[in-house]
């Protein structure tokens, strides 16, 4: 019986030129917002054909590293760290396992930002959260309208001062809506049981911990806030 062998593909010429371009930008100390040489100059500098160079440049443009500007030509730009993730995280095509992995990551992230929240939060942030909670739309069993859920947690992410975390909220929001809709019949009984045991934690509850400066209490509360999903995922595994 023949043994199946899988070999790593050798880098293509375009791959090599792409790498050369990045090295060239660094060696020439080109920064975000600065213009880069035109195709002819780059081809000569790198010693490659313009057709190959053009394809490598096209890749960098797709990644958001280069933009073409009127009267300025090509300039270097700083790509969004999660830009590629935005294009592929579509809950309609993700497997259930992937959906739950993302959900688990979101829960871990919310718990992990607790210290940053209490370190950075200001009186103005508290006022904005109070307004979000006041205008929030809450259904039965602590279910929030999508806009209310997004607004509250997006504000928490914003308080951390980490732009990547804030960007992640924009990606995770449609996944959360999809999971809630798809598994509504399984999530609802868990919510009802938690309400019966008086374990539901509302946005208002979380805000009160923030206002009191009670980081330890907030961390326990945010874990309980997401307990419905943790129970749901444990039940699925078992």
């Amino acid at each position: 019986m023949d043994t199946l062998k899988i070999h790593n593909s050798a880098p293509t010429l375009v791959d090599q030129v792409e790498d050369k371009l990045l090295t060239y930008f660094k060696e020439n100390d080109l920064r975000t917002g600065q213009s880069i040489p035109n195709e002819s100059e780059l081809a000569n500098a790198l010693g490659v054909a313009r057709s190959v160079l053009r394809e490598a440049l096209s890749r960098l443009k797709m990644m958001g590293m280069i933009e073409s500007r009127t009267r300025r030509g090509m300039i270097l730009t700083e790509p969004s760290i999660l830009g590629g993730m935005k294009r592929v995280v579509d809950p309609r095509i993700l497997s259930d396992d992937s959906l739950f992995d993302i959900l688990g990551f979101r829960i871990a992230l919310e718990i992990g930002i607790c210290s940053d929240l209490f370190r950075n939060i200001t009186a103005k942030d508290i006022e904005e959260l109070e307004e979000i909670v006041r205008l929030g739309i809450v259904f039965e069993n602590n279910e929030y309208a999508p806009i209310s859920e997004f607004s509250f947690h997006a504000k928490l992410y914003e308080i951390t001062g980490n732009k990547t975390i804030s960007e992640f909220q924009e990606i995770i929001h449609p996944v959360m809506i999809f999971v809630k809709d798809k598994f509504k019949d399984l999530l609802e009984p868990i919510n009802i049981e938690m309400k019966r045991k008086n374990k539901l934690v509302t946005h208002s509850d979380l805000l009160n911990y923030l206002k009191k400066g009670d980081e330890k209490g907030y961390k326990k509360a945010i874990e309980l806030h997401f307990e419905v999903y943790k129970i749901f995922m444990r039940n699925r595994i078992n």
Side-chain angles (χ1 to χ4, degrees):
M1 180 178 177
D2 293 335
T3 302
L4 176 64
K5 294 182 179 180
I6 300 176
H7 300 282
N8 292 325
S9 300
T12 66
L13 182 57
V14 176
D15 293 333
Q16 296 174 44
V17 174
E18 182 183 334
D19 185 65
K20 282 185 177 182
L21 276 169
L22 296 175
T23 299
Y24 176 85
F25 296 154
K26 183 175 182 180
E27 290 179 346
N28 286 272
D29 198 28
L30 293 174
R31 307 293 179 85
T32 299
Q34 292 183 328
S35 297
I36 65 176
N38 59 39
E39 288 184 4
S40 180
E41 292 178 80
L42 285 172
N44 289 332
L46 300 178
V48 298
R50 288 185 65 175
S51 58
V52 179
L53 173 71
R54 193 171 293 120
E55 187 172 344
L57 287 170
S58 179
R59 288 186 183 181
L60 296 182
K61 287 179 181 178
M62 289 179 63
M63 289 188 288
M65 299 184 69
I66 292 177
E67 287 183 4
S68 294
R69 298 279 180 86
T70 304
R71 292 190 295 275
R72 289 193 61 190
M74 294 180 292
I75 67 166
L76 278 182
T77 53
E78 185 173 1
S80 163
I81 294 175
L82 299 179
M85 188 178 182
K86 286 182 180 179
R87 291 191 285 270
V88 299
V89 179
D90 188 327
R92 296 170 298 181
I93 60 174
L94 292 176
S95 67
D96 286 354
D97 285 341
S98 293
L99 289 173
F100 297 137
D101 283 347
I102 294 173
L103 179 58
F105 182 74
R106 188 265 176 99
I107 294 171
L109 182 62
E110 291 261 359
I111 296 169
I113 65 174
C114 289
S115 294
D116 287 336
L117 277 178
F118 282 85
R119 185 183 303 114
N120 298 334
I121 198 164
T122 65
K124 186 174 185 298
D125 292 324
I126 294 292
E127 289 179 8
E128 292 180 14
L129 284 169
E130 286 178 329
E131 184 68 4
I132 290 170
V133 170
R134 186 181 71 80
L135 297 175
I137 302 171
V138 189
F139 304 126
E140 193 175 3
N141 300 318
N142 202 33
E143 280 292 316
Y144 288 85
I147 185 61
S148 300
E149 180 79 7
F150 178 83
S151 298
F152 184 83
H153 290 278
K155 181 59 187 177
L156 296 181
Y157 285 23
E158 178 191 316
I159 293 169
T160 68
N162 188 308
K163 293 180 180 179
T164 300
I165 291 178
S166 294
E167 191 175 359
F168 178 73
Q169 168 71 349
E170 297 176 10
I171 296 172
I172 195 67
H173 184 58
V175 174
M176 294 295 293
I177 293 175
F178 185 86
V179 168
K180 286 182 178 180
D181 289 342
K182 183 175 182 179
F183 302 103
K184 181 179 179 180
D185 292 342
L186 297 175
L187 290 168
E188 188 172 21
I190 301 174
N191 261 325
I192 292 173
E193 180 63 13
M194 288 188 66
K195 181 179 181 180
R196 187 184 69 81
K197 293 181 178 180
N198 198 31
K199 288 186 175 182
L200 290 179
V201 174
T202 67
H203 288 169
S204 181
D205 294 328
L206 293 172
L207 176 57
N208 285 333
Y209 283 109
L210 289 168
K211 290 167 71 173
K212 291 186 294 184
D214 184 355
E215 182 177 343
K216 186 175 181 181
Y218 177 88
K219 188 171 183 179
K220 290 181 179 179
I222 195 69
E223 289 184 5
L224 202 54
H225 184 65
F226 287 109
E227 186 66 14
V228 59
Y229 299 111
K230 293 163 74 174
I231 293 174
F232 169 59
M233 289 189 286
R234 287 198 297 268
N235 290 345
R236 178 177 172 272
I237 294 173
N238 297 332

